[in-house]
Amino acid sequence: QLRTGADVPTPSRCHRRHFRAKSVYPALRCSTMEGLCTVPKITVALPTPFDEDQVDVPGLERMAGWVKEQGVNSVIAAGTTGEFAGMTFAERVLVLEATRRGLGVDGFLFANVSACCVDDAVQLARDAVRSNARPDALLLLPPFYHAPFSPAINAAGVEAFFRKFFNRLPRRFEADCAPGAERRVPPVFLYTFAWHTQQPISAEVYGRLCAEFPDRIAGVKASGMGLEQAQQFSLAAPGRAVLVGNGRINLDVLKAGLHVVSGDGVPVCWALSKLLRLVEANELGRAAAVQQALIRAWRGCVDKYDEIAADKAAFAKILRVSTKFETRPPLVPLAEAEAVDIQQAVEKLFAEVQAA
């Protein structure tokens, strides 16, 4: 029989002297592009909880609030981890607004507006900006499905997609809540994740787009790549934030002055929060112990499963959240025995991070 969420050790319910529930958001913010956008050093991508195939809005609000209590106040709603590709446009707005309510007005909220059709991406941007979520930034993948014919042709096609998007994206949209009033479109982060899209964004293409649209692009989310490759984006467009999604190199990313973004680490984001605090305090030996614990105790378990299903199993065991395992096809939820394995990994990681 599975243990209840009350049995999962989380920073918000025990050992508070080691894991402060207070948000460290102001200290995490890092200016980019002379004030165009500020983004925290740690961002997590939330899974979208479902209940009988409907978005679990109260559960999502609890999840966003819990993440904030762990010291992480920057989130991506309805991103890759949030199963955006399996949701309607209306559901993506619903998720965005619920996330904002749970996160609060002081949180940094990314709205994922990714779509294969440029006009759909513009429509999603319009929906996000006009919503009550008031996102701080937009996030956009290149179009997915078509495999690149060659690196050169891929680069040209991806560049053309983003150029077309920015040329069609207004600078303001009329607000739904106040006819005649307008809302400014927030800056955009390009999002490269070639493992999913087959269409990488090269550092060269990123640099050219930043030069062409200097007041619209605030940075890049670079997932599934190494540190050296991620650093090429910083060199291509200095002054913009580079969010690196690779759980095995979080410490190296922070030491290099870049930003961490994590989908698999969201249910253990208290460990990421402590990692950052140790880096900021220059306690690099202890930070290395936390990073090794994340790899050994957490990644060592999660790598056996689909990480989105694993995240949902972990949140089901957190008393303050208690959402369901449910996913949408083609993803498959974890079995109960597998969920116990995830729960034990959380417990093991908590003990090791506490000792670091």
Side-chain angles (χ1 to χ4, degrees), residues 57-69:
V57 171
L60 182 54
E61 292 174 0
R62 294 194 303 271
M63 185 185 296
W66 181 87
V67 165
K68 182 177 181 178
E69 289 180 355

Side-chain angles (χ1 to χ4, degrees), residues 5 62 73 77 79 93 114 123 128 140 182 202 211 218 227 247-248 262 271 277 281 310 322-323 338 346 353:
R62 294 194 303 271
N73 207 13
V93 174
S114 297
Q123 179 63 53
L140 180 62
E182 292 185 327
S202 69
L227 179 61
R248 297 186 177 276
S262 180
R277 292 199 303 273
S322 299
T323 46
E338 294 169 328
V346 172
V353 170

Side-chain angles (χ1 to χ4, degrees), residues 13 43 73 99 248 293:
R13 63 180 295 268
T43 296
N73 207 13
T99 303
R248 297 186 177 276

Side-chain angles (χ1 to χ4, degrees), residues 252-298:
D252 292 336
V253 167
L254 292 174
K255 286 165 61 177
L258 305 182
H259 298 62
V260 167
V261 60
S262 180
D264 71 280
V266 60
V268 293
C269 59
W270 35 266
L272 298 176
S273 184
K274 182 169 183 177
L275 179 68
L276 177 62
R277 292 199 303 273
L278 292 173
V279 171
E280 291 178 330
N282 202 32
E283 297 186 50
L284 299 184
R286 294 177 65 196
V290 172
Q291 177 64 53
Q292 286 304 310
L294 280 163
I295 294 173
R296 180 176 54 253
W298 182 242

Side-chain angles (χ1 to χ4, degrees), residues 107-319:
F108 195 99
L109 178 60
F110 287 87
N112 175 33
V113 298
S114 297
C116 291
C117 172
V118 170
D119 286 341
D120 282 348
V122 173
Q123 179 63 53
L124 286 162
R126 178 183 293 108
D127 293 345
V129 172
R130 297 176 68 182
S131 74
N132 292 324
R134 302 296 292 267
D136 298 281
L138 307 181
L139 189 65
L140 180 62
L141 284 162
F144 35 94
Y145 178 74
H146 290 290
F149 181 76
S150 71
I153 291 176
N154 165 76
V158 167
E159 188 171 350
F161 173 84
F162 282 107
R163 181 173 292 108
K164 192 174 183 180
F165 172 79
F166 285 113
N167 284 333
R168 293 190 180 182
L169 182 69
R171 296 196 175 261
R172 294 181 178 275
F173 287 117
E174 183 177 341
D176 277 344
C177 57
E182 292 185 327
R183 288 183 178 173
R184 182 182 63 85
V185 174
V188 179
F189 281 73
L190 306 192
Y191 180 7
T192 181
F193 201 172
W195 192 84
H196 281 293
T197 66
Q198 303 188 86
Q199 299 284 357
I201 304 171
S202 69
E204 293 76 16
V205 166
Y206 171 70
R208 287 196 295 269
L209 289 168
C210 287
E212 186 173 350
F213 304 98
D215 60 343
R216 310 218 73 179
I217 302 175
V220 61
K221 179 180 184 289
S223 294
M225 65 178 59
L227 179 61
E228 184 175 341
Q229 187 179 1
Q231 288 175 314
Q232 295 303 311
F233 288 94
S234 288
L235 296 174
R240 291 169 171 81
V242 178
L243 284 66
V244 184
N246 182 341
R248 297 186 177 276
I249 60 170
N250 291 326
L251 177 56
D252 292 336
V253 167
L254 292 174
K255 286 165 61 177
L258 305 182
H259 298 62
V260 167
V261 60
S262 180
D264 71 280
V266 60
V268 293
C269 59
W270 35 266
L272 298 176
S273 184
K274 182 169 183 177
L275 179 68
L276 177 62
R277 292 199 303 273
L278 292 173
V279 171
E280 291 178 330
N282 202 32
E283 297 186 50
L284 299 184
R286 294 177 65 196
V290 172
Q291 177 64 53
Q292 286 304 310
L294 280 163
I295 294 173
R296 180 176 54 253
W298 182 242
R299 290 294 327 182
C301 178
V302 172
D303 284 350
K304 297 184 292 184
Y305 309 110
D306 180 277
E307 68 179 42
I308 297 172
D311 281 355
K312 291 190 170 187
F315 273 115
K317 303 305 170 190
I318 297 173
L319 182 63

